[in-house]
């Protein structure tokens, strides 16, 4: 399994920016994808962005395209989410997730099955 610890959340005004980080440890060699999800109060969790670990291919939800960027520092095993032009509707708990190669089940998003989750970091935009 992989242990994931998010950081970087906070409260910002509309139009502001934040950068989330996710430090991964444990069996990271078996991950084929890393991703960010979010959950707003009273709503279901939704995928925000994901990156594949081999090719670095990225995918972002339509609602964040042009504003959010997902990236990864492979040497440090850290996943990032750069968030710009934040809107109140971006408010929610943001979760980092990892997909284990060749393991069935999990949460499907943008072609990857996510199995391991962090505890989340809160983002509030007002």
């Amino acid at each position: 399994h992989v242990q994931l610890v998010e950081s970087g959340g906070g409260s910002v005004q509309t139009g502001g920016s934040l950068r989330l980080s996710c430090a991964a440890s444990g069996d990271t060699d078996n991950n084929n994808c890393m991703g960010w999800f979010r959950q707003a109060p009273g709503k279901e969790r939704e995928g925000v962005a994901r990156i594949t670990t081999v090719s670095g291919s990225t995918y972002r939800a339509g609602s964040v395209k042009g504003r959010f960027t997902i990236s990864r520092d492979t040497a440090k095993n850290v996943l990032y989410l750069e968030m710009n032009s934040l809107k109140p509707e971006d408010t929610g708990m943001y979760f980092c997730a990892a997909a284990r190669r060749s393991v069935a089940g999990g949460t499907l998003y943008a072609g990857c099955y996510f199995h391991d989750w962090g505890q989340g970091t809160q983002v509030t935009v007002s």
Side-chain angles (χ1 to χ4, degrees), residues 58-80:
T58 62
Y59 177 90
R60 289 169 293 180
S63 60
V64 306
K65 274 185 180 178
R67 301 189 298 122
F68 290 13
T69 301
I70 187 171
S71 63
R72 181 170 176 254
D73 185 328
T74 56
K76 297 180 179 179
N77 272 331
V78 178
L79 180 73
Y80 299 102

Side-chain angles (χ1 to χ4, degrees), residues 9-123:
S11 297
V12 296
Q13 293 188 338
T14 299
S17 299
L18 284 173
R19 187 175 80 156
L20 305 183
S21 299
C22 171
S25 61
D27 192 17
T28 59
D29 288 344
N30 282 327
N31 292 342
N32 58 353
C33 301
M34 299 288 292
W36 288 98
F37 293 74
R38 66 186 180 188
Q39 187 167 19
K43 295 188 176 181
E44 291 190 356
R45 186 174 59 192
E46 63 174 355
V48 175
R50 73 99 174 100
I51 185 168
T52 60
T53 58
V54 175
S55 68
S57 171
T58 62
Y59 177 90
R60 289 169 293 180
S63 60
V64 306
K65 274 185 180 178
R67 301 189 298 122
F68 290 13
T69 301
I70 187 171
S71 63
R72 181 170 176 254
D73 185 328
T74 56
K76 297 180 179 179
N77 272 331
V78 178
L79 180 73
Y80 299 102
L81 185 68
E82 186 76 35
M83 304 187 296
N84 298 312
S85 302
L86 283 160
K87 305 175 182 180
E89 50 264 43
D90 295 318
T91 293
M93 187 69 77
Y94 282 69
F95 299 92
C96 173
R100 276 177 265 151
R101 191 177 289 112
S102 302
V103 175
T107 299
L108 177 62
Y109 176 66
C112 299
Y113 284 91
F114 290 90
H115 307 93
D116 298 308
W117 299 85
Q119 293 300 306
T121 185
Q122 178 68 35
V123 172

